[in-house]
Amino acid sequence: DIFSRGVAVWFLLTFLVYSFISYKTPWLIINMTVPLAFLAAFGMAWLFEKRGKALGGVVLVLSINCPPS
């Protein structure tokens, strides 16, 4: 749908712009977390719809139980 494509473009443009900026600060990542959260939600919804609830549940459990690196 058009909203998910817009969010993907939003993330890619933000990522590219911040990649070329030489002055990087830690709070710039905040501007990328919103579209990434939307894209993760769209991906989980796609998994639940197209691939079945079992696979979506496994991915959800694995992503929650991953230890921080």
Side-chain angles (χ1 to χ4, degrees), residues 41-65:
F42 295 147
M44 286 302 297
W46 181 80
L47 273 178
F48 279 115
E49 286 177 10
K50 303 289 183 187
R51 300 296 180 196
K53 294 185 181 188
L55 180 62
V58 168
V59 171
L60 184 63
V61 168
L62 289 175
S63 65
I64 291 172
N65 288 327

Side-chain angles (χ1 to χ4, degrees), residues 6 15 19 25-26 28 32 35 49-50 59 61-62 66 69:
F15 182 76
S19 295
T25 55
L28 289 178
M32 288 189 275
E49 286 177 10
K50 303 289 183 187
V59 171
V61 168
L62 289 175
C66 289
S69 49

